[in-house]
Structures are given as C-alpha cells and as structure tokens.
Amino acid sequence: MPGFTLERTAKRMKQFFQQTLAAAGTEITIDQWVVLQTLNQQNGLSQLDIARATFKDPPTITRIIDLLCQKGLTERITDPDDRRRFRIQLTDGGYQKIDEVLPIIHRARGKAWAKLDNGQIDQLMGMLNTVFNNLSSEDTK
C-alpha cells in the first residue's frame, strides 16, 4: 500500500519538523516556515501565488500570512498593478528568521535522510515527482 506509506511518512516528517522547530524555540510552525521559504525563493508573490506554490488553500495561507505579519516577518504591499491585491514581502526580520531556522531545518533533513545515500535520495525524488506528475490536473482530464 504505497499510498498509505507515503501519507504516513509525510505526516511523520511534518510532525518531526514541527517538534524540531518548537524545541529550538523558533516561534514559527512548519507551515509558516514553508511560506517563508517560498518568499525567500521569490519575494513579492500574491497570496494566491503562495497558495499555489505551497499546495495550501487560500484561507489557510491568509491565516499564515496574518500570523507572519503579526510577528513582523512579512508585510503586505499594495500591488502597483492592481490596488485591490497585495504582494507579500519578507521583512528584515523575515530574512533574519530564515537565517536562524535554515541550519535547524538542514539538521532535521539530515536525520530524515541519514540512512540514504545521494543516489537513493535522487531515485526517491524522481519516483515521487513521477507520481506527482501522473496526478497533475492536466493529465487527469
């Protein structure tokens, strides 16, 4: 039952990373970290773009961004092309949080992948991407 194994592993990883962040006193959740990382890769995305990039629903992203703004890690900037929309940007505090948390995430990833060599990790990533692509909305029509 590969589907069950995949879901079980994903949940265990999320729990482990959440516990690791909490134990390190980072004061962010793993979902907040995913949004910060997304913005670190492409700052100034719309909330909808963040939702798409993170595979989270828009109301969830709104709540996460609200919390990140309250913590001073992100800010909403009016979109110059459409004043009804906002772009989400990292603040200096957001960049500092990424610098603080990234080594913690790297150590946690190291534990998760500890008994796998690079070839096995590449193979796993390839297989997971194949499953993901098999289920893309374009292929299911």
Side-chain angles (χ1 to χ4, degrees):
M1 298 187 350
F4 172 76
T5 302
L6 184 61
E7 182 178 357
R8 177 186 71 165
T9 303
K11 285 182 179 181
R12 171 74 53 90
M13 286 186 73
K14 186 172 182 177
Q15 290 169 348
F16 172 72
F17 280 86
Q18 182 59 52
Q19 291 167 353
T20 300
L21 291 176
T26 64
E27 299 179 359
I28 62 169
T29 66
I30 193 63
D31 290 329
Q32 292 168 5
W33 170 251
V34 168
V35 171
L36 290 174
Q37 273 297 102
T38 300
L39 290 169
N40 194 40
Q41 294 168 358
Q42 189 174 355
N43 204 14
L45 293 173
S46 70
Q47 290 185 194
L48 184 58
D49 290 337
I50 295 169
R52 288 179 181 146
T54 60
F55 296 94
K56 298 193 180 300
D57 61 85
T60 298
I61 287 299
T62 298
R63 285 191 301 275
I64 292 170
I65 291 169
D66 286 346
L67 290 169
L68 291 172
C69 286
Q70 289 172 11
K71 294 176 180 187
L73 304 177
T74 60
E75 59 187 349
R76 287 181 172 93
I77 305 294
T78 303
D79 187 326
D81 298 325
D82 183 349
R83 292 179 33 203
R84 298 169 294 173
R85 294 179 60 191
F86 292 98
R87 297 282 172 186
I88 310 304
Q89 292 190 328
L90 291 169
T91 63
D92 289 343
Y95 285 111
Q96 289 172 359
K97 184 61 74 173
I98 288 168
D99 289 344
E100 169 195 338
V101 174
L102 194 56
I104 297 164
I105 293 294
H106 284 165
R107 283 192 299 276
R109 285 180 187 156
K111 180 174 172 78
W113 307 125
K115 295 183 181 178
L116 300 172
D117 63 38
N118 288 340
Q120 290 172 310
I121 293 170
D122 290 344
Q123 187 177 20
L124 175 62
M125 293 297 294
M127 289 186 288
L128 291 173
N129 282 325
T130 297
V131 171
F132 180 85
N133 291 331
N134 287 344
L135 301 175
S136 72
S137 59
E138 295 171 9
D139 292 339
T140 58
K141 292 180 182 176

